Amino acid sequence: MNEKIILGHGSGGRMTRDLVRDVFCRHLGDFGPQSMDDGAVLPCEKGELVFTTDSYVVSPLEFPGGDIGTLAVCGTVNDLAVMGARPLWLSLGVILEAGLEIDALERIVKSIAAKAREAGVKIVCGDTKVVEKGKGDGIFINTAGIGVLEHPLTPETIEPGDQIIVSGTVGDHGMALLTLRKGFPLKSDLKSDCAPLNGMISQCLDEAGVKWMRDATRGGVATILNELSEGRPWGVLLEENDIPLSDAVAGVSELLGLDPLYSANEGKVIFVVPRHQAENALKGLKKSAYGKKAAVIGLIVDDFPGKTVLHTQMGTLRTLGILASDPLPRIC
Amino acid sequence: MNEKIILGHGSGGRMTRDLVRDVFCRHLGDFGPQSMDDGAVLPCEKGELVFTTDSYVVSPLEFPGGDIGTLAVCGTVNDLAVMGARPLWLSLGVILEAGLEIDALERIVKSIAAKAREAGVKIVCGDTKVVEKGKGDGIFINTAGIGVLEHPLTPETIEPGDQIIVSGTVGDHGMALLTLRKGFPLKSDLKSDCAPLNGMISQCLDEAGVKWMRDATRGGVATILNELSEGRPWGVLLEENDIPLSDAVAGVSELLGLDPLYSANEGKVIFVVPRHQAENALKGLKKSAYGKKAAVIGLIVDDFPGKTVLHTQMGTLRTLGILASDPLPRIC
Ligand SMILES: Nc1ncnc2c1ncn2[C@@H]1O[C@H](COP(=O)(O)OP(=O)(O)OP(=O)(O)O)[C@@H](O)[C@H]1O
Ligand SMILES: Nc1ncnc2c1ncn2[C@@H]1O[C@H](COP(=O)(O)OP(=O)(O)OP(=O)(O)O)[C@@H](O)[C@H]1O
Ligand SMILES: [Mg+2]
Ligand SMILES: [Mg+2]
Ligand SMILES: [Mg+2]
Ligand SMILES: [Mg+2]
Ligand SMILES: [Mg+2]
Ligand SMILES: [Mg+2]
């Protein structure tokens, strides 16, 4: 095999087939496609499915805590899981830029295999396209995912007093990516929190009456909570003191004047649960390695209908709007 | 709204939301997502699903006969249909390059809506990312598709005497794209054949005992037939005289010395049917506007096991191999 991707790898002929077999199917193994047909045939019971998709364009392709392949599996698994679904199957569409090192591609495919194994999902079909050098950026990945709906959520039952829980420290992924960008002046120990959360979420769902949940990706916790509160007869009140932050994120945020509440996460979920079940929810989350720092960070309130408001460490109240634009493009 | 895509449209915040609402959801209407949740909830009966994906990176984005949006719907619908499935739901992942004209994006989304309507499928979920100018090429699209398996195929029953049918003229899409490329010296009336074939295919399935079918996209008819014949105890014999070609494709192919059998199609299917049902299959295909030029182009033979062979107009036999690499990148 050539050591770099060339346009012929996207021809749909021999070179594409060899690449799919020798790189994708080989590393995916039991977690990859089991036929080379036009689509995968999947068994299905009467009920409800959840279907989702995300494309991943992160730069750089590899970063502390993961790579674009890790993201592509975890991100889509998490979107299914927060819908209350059990993730089952993913598709894998890759757009390769001519010139990409096949070694780098293999590392990424190995990450995909490892995370698929961890999450218990299979990559059942895929597609491989190649664009000229300068018309892409190494690799872009799309995964679509299918899961079986097991725990439909009930946001319409949310009421004042319900508790807001976050599954761990906030802002890690976005801050980690920021410090890798060209020109960033400091070294840091920041690491992406990218992780498949379906196991953690299902443990929590078993213990607590989760009414709503969402993974706090682009836009961060503040944007996701705005999507919750917008148009509702109640508001969200967050307690800044209670929001878990890693020391590294706290340090970099302060240094740069950036708000970790608007920084992306790739392994964090926000839950709304009834007050009397918050302890159970925390207990369920903490059973998972990914939920050890779970905490109640706020509650649903009668005040501020439609808004998300932060009770700051200074004692003041600050309305958190939705992220307008992005200080840092291509974090996922 | 700004008239060009900027990085902020990919932030996941306000600008992303507005773009999704004002461009994607507006034009998709009833054929677009009905909620802004992390995934779409879909009803499902006991049975078998088919799941497929393709990314689309065609250049130029718009061409006679369609655009990248047309392709993104038809290509994925056709992969489901040739699996014997009824296409139901698509996901839509777009990677926009900063600088893309929003007008062009709107035309593409309108094409997506029109083809979804024609094919009877819904775009139930999506994702929008933006990359810097020079790191993409206008727009890349991924669609994944889900259908319900209705007519499982039976390639294991294929035997000598079975007929090979093509649903119409060969090579149109690839040749049309070729003549649009920078530096191509001639004007032509070539037009892509891009079309959703699920309606045509289901009519044919009702009339004939189709054993195998495949859409002849990248790699063309010759490559797809190689995938059929490879490793089998029988061969495929094509009759060059019987292969339908438009005058324009015949002219350009001869002029450039290119073989239309290796040129991509985006609206053509190859079928294998029992000899006694070939007439019925043709009748079924011709009920559709997309199958008017359907023809028997060859048959399964005892000779040449594992191979695809062309009986040429000159009377000679020529083995058709699988496309090695691609003379023309980024046709789909
Ligand atoms: N990156 C990949 N990872 C896993 N499987 C892949 C990958 N790329 C392609 N495949 C699998 O290889 C087979 C052939 O894919 P291919 O894209 O050539 O088919 P197609 O979609 O019918 O053709 P086209 O893309 O030209 O429309 C399919 O079964 C597909 O699932
Ligand atoms: N191009 C699009 N066409 C149709 N719907 C879209 C499109 N882009 C996004 N959506 C829809 O908008 C909603 C929000 O999408 P978004 O991608 O922001 O969510 P997410 O995947 O949870 O977040 P992230 O992409 O940061 O992981 C979803 O319901 C999604 O289906
Ligand atoms: Mg997502
Ligand atoms: Mg999400
Ligand atoms: Mg494909
Ligand atoms: Mg295809
Ligand atoms: Mg196909
Ligand atoms: Mg998304």
Side-chain angles (χ1 to χ4, degrees), chain A residues 8 10-11 13-14 17 38-42 44-47 49-52 54-55 79 83 127-129 132 134-135 140 142 214-215 218 230 322-323 325-326 330, chain B residues 8 10-11 13-14 17 38-42 44-47 49-52 54-55 79 83 127-129 132 134-136 140 142 214-215 218 230 322-323 325-326 330:
Chain A
S11 64
R14 178 78 59 194
R17 255 179 46 172
D38 293 77
V41 176
L42 305 168
C44 155
E45 295 300 317
K46 189 175 167 64
L49 298 175
V50 177
F51 186 28
T52 192
D54 265 327
S55 296
D79 273 332
M83 286 295 294
D127 181 64
T128 306
K129 297 289 190 294
E132 299 90 341
K135 300 290 181 182
F140 300 144
N142 176 282
R214 189 131 202 199
D215 57 335
R218 289 182 293 173
E230 212 173 44
I322 194 172
L323 178 68
S325 179
D326 196 351
R330 297 185 52 200
Chain B
S11 64
R14 178 77 61 197
R17 256 180 44 173
D38 293 76
V41 176
L42 306 168
C44 154
E45 294 301 317
K46 189 175 167 61
L49 298 175
V50 177
F51 186 28
T52 193
D54 266 326
S55 296
D79 273 333
M83 286 294 295
D127 180 62
T128 306
K129 297 290 190 294
E132 300 89 342
K135 300 289 180 183
F140 299 143
N142 176 283
R214 189 133 200 195
D215 58 334
R218 290 182 293 173
E230 213 172 43
I322 193 172
L323 178 70
S325 180
D326 197 350
R330 298 184 54 200

Coordinates of all heavy atoms in Angstrom, one line a residue, chain A residues 8 10-11 13-14 17 38-42 44-47 49-52 54-55 79 83 127-129 132 134-135 140 142 214-215 218 230 322-323 325-326 330, chain B residues 8 10-11 13-14 17 38-42 44-47 49-52 54-55 79 83 127-129 132 134-136 140 142 214-215 218 230 322-323 325-326 330:
Chain A
G8 N -6.6 8.3 -6.4 CA -7.1 6.9 -6.8 C -7.8 6.2 -5.7 O -8.6 5.3 -6.0
G10 N -10.0 7.2 -4.0 CA -11.4 7.6 -4.1 C -12.1 7.2 -5.4 O -13.2 7.6 -5.6
S11 N -11.4 6.4 -6.2 CA -12.0 6.1 -7.5 C -13.2 5.2 -7.5 O -14.0 5.2 -8.4 CB -10.9 5.3 -8.3 OG -10.6 4.1 -7.7
G13 N -12.8 2.1 -7.5 CA -12.3 0.9 -8.1 C -11.4 0.1 -7.2 O -11.6 0.1 -5.9
R14 N -10.4 -0.5 -7.8 CA -9.5 -1.4 -7.0 C -8.9 -0.7 -5.8 O -8.8 -1.3 -4.7 CB -8.4 -1.9 -8.0 CG -7.4 -2.8 -7.3 CD -7.8 -4.2 -7.1 NE -8.2 -4.9 -8.4 CZ -8.9 -6.0 -8.4 NH1 -9.3 -6.6 -7.3 NH2 -9.3 -6.5 -9.6
R17 N -11.3 -0.2 -2.9 CA -11.6 -1.5 -2.3 C -10.5 -2.0 -1.4 O -10.7 -2.5 -0.3 CB -11.8 -2.6 -3.4 CG -13.3 -2.8 -3.5 CD -13.6 -3.8 -4.5 NE -12.7 -5.0 -4.5 CZ -12.9 -6.0 -5.3 NH1 -13.9 -6.1 -6.1 NH2 -12.1 -7.0 -5.2
D38 N -24.4 -2.7 -0.8 CA -24.7 -1.3 -0.8 C -25.3 -0.8 0.5 O -25.4 0.4 0.7 CB -25.8 -1.1 -1.9 CG -25.2 -1.3 -3.3 OD1 -25.1 -2.5 -3.7 OD2 -24.9 -0.4 -4.0
G39 N -25.6 -1.6 1.4 CA -26.1 -1.2 2.7 C -26.0 -2.4 3.6 O -25.8 -3.6 3.2
A40 N -26.2 -2.2 4.9 CA -26.2 -3.2 5.9 C -27.6 -3.6 6.3 O -28.5 -2.7 6.4 CB -25.5 -2.7 7.2
V41 N -27.9 -4.9 6.4 CA -29.2 -5.4 6.8 C -29.2 -5.6 8.3 O -28.3 -6.3 8.8 CB -29.5 -6.7 6.0 CG1 -30.9 -7.3 6.5 CG2 -29.5 -6.5 4.5
L42 N -30.1 -5.0 9.0 CA -30.1 -5.0 10.4 C -31.5 -5.5 11.0 O -32.5 -5.1 10.5 CB -29.9 -3.6 10.9 CG -28.6 -3.0 10.4 CD1 -28.6 -1.5 10.7 CD2 -27.4 -3.6 10.9
C44 N -34.6 -5.8 13.5 CA -35.3 -4.7 14.2 C -36.6 -5.2 14.8 O -37.4 -5.9 14.2 CB -35.5 -3.6 13.1 SG -36.8 -2.5 13.4
E45 N -36.9 -4.8 16.0 CA -38.1 -5.2 16.7 C -39.1 -4.0 16.6 O -38.7 -2.9 16.4 CB -37.8 -5.4 18.2 CG -36.9 -6.6 18.5 CD -37.5 -7.9 17.9 OE1 -38.7 -8.1 18.1 OE2 -36.7 -8.7 17.3
K46 N -40.3 -4.3 16.9 CA -41.4 -3.3 16.9 C -41.0 -2.3 18.0 O -40.7 -2.7 19.1 CB -42.7 -3.9 17.1 CG -43.9 -2.9 17.0 CD -45.2 -3.6 17.1 CE -46.3 -2.6 17.2 NZ -46.5 -1.7 16.0
G47 N -41.1 -1.0 17.7 CA -40.8 -0.1 18.8 C -40.4 1.3 18.1 O -40.9 1.6 17.1
L49 N -37.0 3.8 17.0 CA -35.6 4.0 16.8 C -35.2 5.4 17.0 O -36.1 6.3 16.9 CB -35.2 3.7 15.4 CG -35.5 2.2 14.9 CD1 -35.2 2.1 13.4 CD2 -34.6 1.3 15.7
V50 N -34.0 5.7 17.3 CA -33.5 7.0 17.3 C -32.3 7.1 16.2 O -31.5 6.1 16.2 CB -32.9 7.5 18.7 CG1 -32.4 8.9 18.5 CG2 -34.1 7.5 19.7
F51 N -32.4 8.1 15.4 CA -31.4 8.3 14.3 C -30.8 9.6 14.5 O -31.5 10.6 14.7 CB -32.2 8.2 13.0 CG -31.4 8.2 11.7 CD1 -30.2 7.7 11.6 CD2 -32.0 8.7 10.5 CE1 -29.5 7.6 10.4 CE2 -31.3 8.6 9.3 CZ -30.1 8.1 9.3
T52 N -29.4 9.7 14.3 CA -28.7 11.0 14.5 C -27.5 11.0 13.6 O -27.1 9.9 13.1 CB -28.3 11.2 16.0 OG1 -27.9 12.5 16.2 CG2 -27.2 10.2 16.4
D54 N -23.6 13.3 13.0 CA -22.6 14.4 13.2 C -21.5 14.2 12.2 O -21.0 13.1 12.0 CB -22.1 14.4 14.6 CG -22.9 15.4 15.5 OD1 -23.4 16.4 15.1 OD2 -23.0 15.0 16.7
S55 N -21.0 15.4 11.7 CA -19.7 15.4 11.0 C -18.6 15.9 11.9 O -18.9 16.7 12.8 CB -19.8 16.2 9.7 OG -20.7 15.7 8.8
D79 N -25.1 11.3 21.4 CA -26.3 11.9 20.9 C -27.5 10.9 21.0 O -28.6 11.2 21.3 CB -26.2 12.5 19.5 CG -25.7 13.9 19.5 OD1 -25.9 14.7 20.5 OD2 -25.1 14.4 18.5
M83 N -30.7 10.8 24.0 CA -32.1 10.7 23.6 C -32.9 9.6 24.4 O -34.1 9.4 24.1 CB -32.2 10.4 22.1 CG -31.9 11.6 21.2 SD -33.1 13.0 21.3 CE -34.6 12.2 20.7
D127 N -18.3 4.7 3.7 CA -18.0 5.3 2.4 C -16.7 6.0 2.5 O -16.4 6.6 3.5 CB -19.2 6.3 2.0 CG -18.9 6.9 0.6 OD1 -18.9 6.1 -0.4 OD2 -18.7 8.1 0.5
T128 N -16.0 6.0 1.3 CA -14.6 6.6 1.3 C -14.5 7.5 0.1 O -14.6 7.0 -1.1 CB -13.6 5.5 1.2 OG1 -13.8 4.6 2.3 CG2 -12.2 6.1 1.3
K129 N -14.3 8.8 0.3 CA -14.1 9.7 -0.8 C -12.7 10.4 -0.6 O -12.2 10.5 0.6 CB -15.2 10.8 -0.9 CG -16.6 10.3 -1.1 CD -16.8 9.8 -2.5 CE -18.2 9.4 -2.9 NZ -18.9 8.4 -2.2
E132 N -8.7 16.5 -3.6 CA -7.4 17.0 -3.9 C -6.7 17.7 -2.6 O -7.4 18.2 -1.8 CB -7.4 18.0 -5.0 CG -7.9 17.5 -6.3 CD -9.4 17.7 -6.5 OE1 -10.1 17.9 -5.4 OE2 -9.9 17.7 -7.6
G134 N -5.4 20.4 -0.5 CA -5.8 21.8 -0.5 C -7.3 22.0 -0.6 O -7.8 23.1 -0.5
K135 N -8.1 20.9 -0.7 CA -9.5 21.0 -0.7 C -10.2 20.3 0.5 O -11.4 20.0 0.5 CB -10.1 20.3 -2.0 CG -9.6 21.0 -3.3 CD -10.2 22.4 -3.5 CE -9.7 23.0 -4.8 NZ -10.2 24.4 -4.9
F140 N -12.0 14.3 7.2 CA -13.3 14.7 7.8 C -14.1 13.4 7.9 O -14.1 12.5 7.0 CB -14.1 15.7 6.9 CG -13.5 17.0 6.6 CD1 -13.6 17.6 5.4 CD2 -12.7 17.6 7.6 CE1 -13.0 18.8 5.1 CE2 -12.1 18.8 7.3 CZ -12.2 19.5 6.1
N142 N -17.9 11.6 8.9 CA -19.3 11.6 9.4 C -19.7 10.3 9.9 O -19.4 9.3 9.3 CB -20.2 12.0 8.2 CG -21.7 11.9 8.6 OD1 -22.3 10.9 8.8 ND2 -22.3 13.1 8.9
R214 N -28.8 16.2 27.9 CA -28.2 16.6 26.7 C -26.7 16.6 26.9 O -26.2 17.0 27.9 CB -28.7 18.0 26.3 CG -28.4 18.5 25.0 CD -29.6 19.1 24.2 NE -29.2 19.0 22.8 CZ -29.7 19.7 21.8 NH1 -30.7 20.5 22.1 NH2 -29.3 19.6 20.6
D215 N -26.0 16.2 25.8 CA -24.5 16.3 25.9 C -24.2 17.8 25.5 O -24.7 18.4 24.6 CB -23.9 15.3 25.0 CG -24.2 15.4 23.5 OD1 -25.4 15.9 23.2 OD2 -23.4 15.0 22.6
R218 N -20.6 21.6 21.3 CA -20.4 22.9 20.8 C -21.3 23.9 21.6 O -22.5 23.6 21.7 CB -20.7 23.1 19.3 CG -19.7 22.4 18.5 CD -20.0 22.6 17.0 NE -21.3 22.0 16.6 CZ -21.9 22.1 15.5 NH1 -21.4 22.9 14.6 NH2 -23.0 21.4 15.2
E230 N -35.3 28.1 27.1 CA -35.9 29.0 26.1 C -37.4 28.7 25.9 O -37.8 27.6 25.7 CB -35.2 28.9 24.8 CG -35.2 30.2 24.0 CD -34.3 30.1 22.8 OE1 -34.4 29.1 22.1 OE2 -33.6 31.1 22.5
I322 N -27.2 32.4 24.8 CA -26.7 31.3 23.9 C -25.4 31.9 23.3 O -25.3 33.1 23.1 CB -27.8 31.0 22.9 CG1 -27.5 29.7 22.2 CG2 -28.0 32.1 21.9 CD1 -28.7 29.3 21.3
L323 N -24.4 31.0 23.1 CA -23.2 31.4 22.4 C -23.6 32.0 21.1 O -24.4 31.5 20.3 CB -22.3 30.1 22.1 CG -21.0 30.4 21.4 CD1 -20.0 31.1 22.2 CD2 -20.4 29.0 21.0
S325 N -21.3 33.5 18.5 CA -20.4 32.9 17.5 C -19.3 32.1 18.3 O -19.5 31.9 19.4 CB -19.8 34.0 16.6 OG -18.9 33.3 15.6
D326 N -18.2 31.8 17.6 CA -17.3 30.9 18.3 C -15.9 31.5 18.3 O -15.4 31.9 17.3 CB -17.2 29.6 17.5 CG -16.6 28.5 18.3 OD1 -16.1 28.8 19.4 OD2 -16.6 27.3 17.8
R330 N -13.7 24.8 14.7 CA -13.2 23.4 14.4 C -12.7 22.7 15.7 O -11.6 22.1 15.7 CB -12.2 23.4 13.3 CG -12.9 23.9 12.0 CD -12.1 23.8 10.8 NE -11.6 22.5 10.7 CZ -10.5 22.2 9.9 NH1 -9.9 23.2 9.3 NH2 -10.1 21.0 9.8
Chain B
G8 N -18.5 31.4 12.1 CA -19.5 31.5 13.2 C -20.7 30.6 12.9 O -21.4 30.1 13.9
G10 N -20.7 27.7 12.2 CA -20.4 26.4 12.7 C -20.1 26.4 14.2 O -19.7 25.3 14.7
S11 N -20.5 27.4 14.9 CA -20.2 27.5 16.3 C -21.0 26.6 17.2 O -20.6 26.3 18.3 CB -20.4 29.0 16.8 OG -21.8 29.3 16.7
G13 N -23.8 27.7 18.2 CA -24.6 28.7 19.0 C -25.6 29.3 18.1 O -26.2 28.7 17.2
R14 N -25.9 30.6 18.3 CA -27.0 31.3 17.7 C -26.9 31.2 16.2 O -27.9 31.0 15.5 CB -26.9 32.8 18.2 CG -28.0 33.7 17.6 CD -29.3 33.5 18.1 NE -29.4 33.8 19.6 CZ -30.4 33.4 20.4 NH1 -31.4 32.7 19.9 NH2 -30.4 33.7 21.6
R17 N -27.8 27.8 14.7 CA -29.3 27.6 14.9 C -30.1 28.4 13.8 O -31.0 27.9 13.3 CB -29.7 28.0 16.3 CG -29.9 26.8 17.1 CD -30.4 27.2 18.5 NE -31.4 28.3 18.5 CZ -32.0 28.6 19.6 NH1 -31.7 28.0 20.7 NH2 -32.9 29.6 19.6
D38 N -31.5 15.9 19.9 CA -30.2 15.3 19.5 C -30.3 14.2 18.5 O -29.3 13.7 17.9 CB -29.5 14.7 20.8 CG -29.1 15.8 21.7 OD1 -30.0 16.4 22.4 OD2 -27.9 16.2 21.8
G39 N -31.5 13.7 18.3 CA -31.8 12.7 17.3 C -33.2 12.6 17.0 O -34.0 13.3 17.6
A40 N -33.6 11.9 15.9 CA -35.0 11.8 15.5 C -35.6 10.5 16.0 O -34.9 9.5 15.9 CB -35.1 11.9 14.0
V41 N -36.8 10.5 16.5 CA -37.4 9.3 17.0 C -38.3 8.8 15.9 O -39.1 9.5 15.3 CB -38.3 9.6 18.2 CG1 -39.0 8.3 18.7 CG2 -37.4 10.1 19.4
L42 N -38.2 7.5 15.5 CA -38.8 7.0 14.3 C -39.5 5.7 14.7 O -38.9 4.8 15.4 CB -37.7 6.7 13.2 CG -36.8 7.9 12.9 CD1 -35.7 7.4 12.1 CD2 -37.7 8.9 12.1
C44 N -41.0 1.9 14.2 CA -40.3 0.8 13.5 C -41.1 -0.5 13.8 O -41.5 -0.7 14.9 CB -38.9 0.8 14.0 SG -38.1 -0.8 13.9
E45 N -41.3 -1.3 12.8 CA -42.0 -2.6 12.9 C -41.0 -3.7 13.0 O -39.8 -3.5 12.6 CB -42.9 -2.8 11.7 CG -44.1 -1.8 11.5 CD -45.0 -1.9 12.7 OE1 -45.3 -3.0 13.2 OE2 -45.4 -0.8 13.2
K46 N -41.4 -4.8 13.5 CA -40.5 -6.0 13.5 C -40.2 -6.3 12.1 O -41.0 -6.4 11.2 CB -41.2 -7.2 14.2 CG -40.3 -8.3 14.4 CD -41.0 -9.4 15.2 CE -40.3 -10.7 15.2 NZ -38.9 -10.6 15.8
G47 N -38.9 -6.6 11.8 CA -38.5 -6.9 10.5 C -37.0 -6.6 10.3 O -36.2 -6.7 11.2
L49 N -34.1 -3.8 8.7 CA -33.8 -2.5 8.2 C -32.6 -2.6 7.3 O -31.8 -3.5 7.4 CB -33.4 -1.5 9.3 CG -34.5 -1.3 10.3 CD1 -33.9 -0.4 11.4 CD2 -35.7 -0.5 9.7
V50 N -32.5 -1.6 6.3 CA -31.2 -1.5 5.6 C -30.7 -0.1 6.0 O -31.4 0.9 6.0 CB -31.4 -1.6 4.1 CG1 -30.1 -1.4 3.4 CG2 -31.9 -3.0 3.8
F51 N -29.4 0.0 6.2 CA -28.7 1.2 6.6 C -27.5 1.5 5.7 O -26.8 0.5 5.4 CB -28.2 1.0 8.1 CG -27.6 2.2 8.8 CD1 -28.0 3.5 8.4 CD2 -26.7 2.1 9.8 CE1 -27.4 4.6 9.1 CE2 -26.1 3.1 10.5 CZ -26.5 4.4 10.1
T52 N -27.4 2.7 5.2 CA -26.3 2.9 4.2 C -25.8 4.4 4.4 O -26.5 5.2 5.0 CB -26.8 2.7 2.8 OG1 -25.6 2.7 1.9 CG2 -27.7 3.7 2.3
D54 N -23.3 7.6 2.2 CA -22.4 8.1 1.2 C -22.1 9.6 1.5 O -22.9 10.3 2.0 CB -23.0 8.0 -0.2 CG -22.6 6.7 -0.9 OD1 -21.5 6.2 -0.7 OD2 -23.4 6.2 -1.7
S55 N -20.8 9.9 1.3 CA -20.5 11.4 1.3 C -20.4 11.8 -0.2 O -20.0 11.0 -1.1 CB -19.1 11.6 2.0 OG -19.2 11.2 3.3
D79 N -28.9 3.5 -3.1 CA -28.2 2.4 -2.4 C -29.2 1.6 -1.6 O -29.1 0.3 -1.5 CB -27.1 2.9 -1.5 CG -25.8 3.0 -2.3 OD1 -25.6 2.3 -3.3 OD2 -24.9 3.9 -1.9
M83 N -30.7 -2.5 -2.5 CA -30.7 -3.6 -1.5 C -32.1 -4.3 -1.3 O -32.2 -5.2 -0.5 CB -30.3 -3.0 -0.1 CG -28.8 -2.6 0.0 SD -27.7 -4.1 -0.1 CE -28.2 -5.0 1.4
D127 N -26.6 17.9 10.6 CA -25.5 18.5 11.3 C -24.9 19.5 10.4 O -24.8 19.3 9.2 CB -24.5 17.4 11.8 CG -23.4 18.0 12.6 OD1 -23.6 18.6 13.6 OD2 -22.2 17.9 12.1
T128 N -24.3 20.6 11.0 CA -23.7 21.6 10.2 C -22.4 22.0 10.8 O -22.3 22.5 11.9 CB -24.7 22.9 10.2 OG1 -26.0 22.4 9.8 CG2 -24.2 24.0 9.3
K129 N -21.3 21.8 10.0 CA -20.0 22.2 10.4 C -19.5 23.2 9.4 O -19.9 23.2 8.2 CB -19.1 21.0 10.5 CG -19.4 20.0 11.6 CD -19.3 20.5 13.0 CE -19.4 19.4 14.1 NZ -20.8 18.8 14.2
E132 N -12.5 26.5 7.6 CA -11.9 27.7 7.0 C -11.8 27.7 5.5 O -11.7 26.6 4.9 CB -10.5 28.0 7.6 CG -10.4 28.1 9.1 CD -10.1 26.8 9.8 OE1 -10.4 25.7 9.1 OE2 -9.7 26.8 10.9
G134 N -10.3 27.4 2.1 CA -9.1 26.7 1.7 C -8.9 25.3 2.4 O -8.0 24.6 2.2
K135 N -9.9 25.0 3.3 CA -9.8 23.7 4.0 C -11.0 22.8 3.6 O -11.3 21.8 4.2 CB -9.8 23.9 5.5 CG -8.7 24.6 6.0 CD -7.4 23.8 5.9 CE -6.2 24.6 6.4 NZ -4.9 23.9 6.3
G136 N -11.8 23.2 2.6 CA -12.9 22.5 2.1 C -13.1 22.9 0.6 O -12.2 23.4 0.0
F140 N -19.4 19.9 1.3 CA -19.4 18.4 1.2 C -20.7 18.0 2.0 O -21.0 18.6 3.0 CB -18.2 17.8 1.9 CG -16.8 18.2 1.4 CD1 -15.7 18.4 2.2 CD2 -16.7 18.4 0.0 CE1 -14.5 18.8 1.6 CE2 -15.4 18.8 -0.6 CZ -14.3 19.0 0.3
N142 N -22.8 14.6 3.6 CA -23.0 13.2 3.8 C -24.5 12.9 4.1 O -25.1 13.7 4.8 CB -22.2 12.7 5.1 CG -22.5 11.3 5.4 OD1 -23.6 10.9 6.0 ND2 -21.6 10.4 5.0
R214 N -27.6 -3.6 -8.6 CA -26.7 -2.7 -8.0 C -26.7 -1.4 -8.8 O -26.8 -1.4 -10.0 CB -25.3 -3.3 -8.0 CG -24.3 -2.6 -7.3 CD -23.4 -3.4 -6.4 NE -22.8 -2.5 -5.4 CZ -21.8 -2.8 -4.6 NH1 -21.3 -4.0 -4.7 NH2 -21.3 -1.9 -3.8
D215 N -26.6 -0.2 -8.1 CA -26.5 1.0 -8.9 C -25.0 1.2 -9.4 O -24.1 0.9 -8.6 CB -26.9 2.2 -8.1 CG -26.2 2.4 -6.8 OD1 -25.7 1.4 -6.2 OD2 -26.2 3.6 -6.3
R218 N -19.6 5.1 -9.0 CA -18.1 5.1 -9.3 C -17.6 3.8 -9.8 O -18.0 2.8 -9.3 CB -17.4 5.5 -8.0 CG -17.5 6.8 -7.5 CD -16.7 7.0 -6.2 NE -17.2 6.2 -5.1 CZ -16.5 6.1 -3.9 NH1 -15.4 6.7 -3.7 NH2 -17.1 5.3 -3.0
E230 N -16.8 -11.7 -9.6 CA -15.6 -12.2 -8.9 C -15.9 -13.3 -8.0 O -16.8 -13.3 -7.1 CB -15.1 -11.0 -8.1 CG -13.6 -11.0 -8.0 CD -13.1 -9.7 -7.3 OE1 -13.7 -9.3 -6.3 OE2 -12.1 -9.1 -7.8
I322 N -11.8 -4.6 -13.1 CA -12.3 -3.6 -12.2 C -11.5 -2.3 -12.4 O -10.3 -2.4 -12.8 CB -12.1 -4.1 -10.7 CG1 -12.9 -3.3 -9.7 CG2 -10.7 -4.2 -10.3 CD1 -12.9 -3.9 -8.3
L323 N -12.1 -1.2 -12.3 CA -11.4 0.1 -12.5 C -10.2 0.1 -11.5 O -10.4 -0.1 -10.4 CB -12.4 1.3 -12.2 CG -11.8 2.7 -12.3 CD1 -11.4 3.0 -13.7 CD2 -12.8 3.7 -11.7
S325 N -7.7 2.9 -11.1 CA -7.8 4.2 -10.4 C -8.8 5.0 -11.2 O -9.5 4.5 -12.0 CB -6.4 4.8 -10.4 OG -6.5 6.1 -9.8
D326 N -8.7 6.3 -11.1 CA -9.8 7.1 -11.6 C -9.2 8.1 -12.6 O -8.4 8.9 -12.2 CB -10.6 7.8 -10.5 CG -11.9 8.3 -11.0 OD1 -12.2 8.2 -12.2 OD2 -12.7 8.7 -10.2
R330 N -13.5 13.1 -8.1 CA -14.6 13.9 -7.6 C -15.8 14.1 -8.5 O -16.2 15.2 -8.7 CB -14.1 15.3 -7.1 CG -13.1 15.0 -5.9 CD -12.6 16.2 -5.3 NE -13.6 17.1 -4.9 CZ -13.5 18.4 -4.6 NH1 -12.3 18.9 -4.8 NH2 -14.5 19.1 -4.2

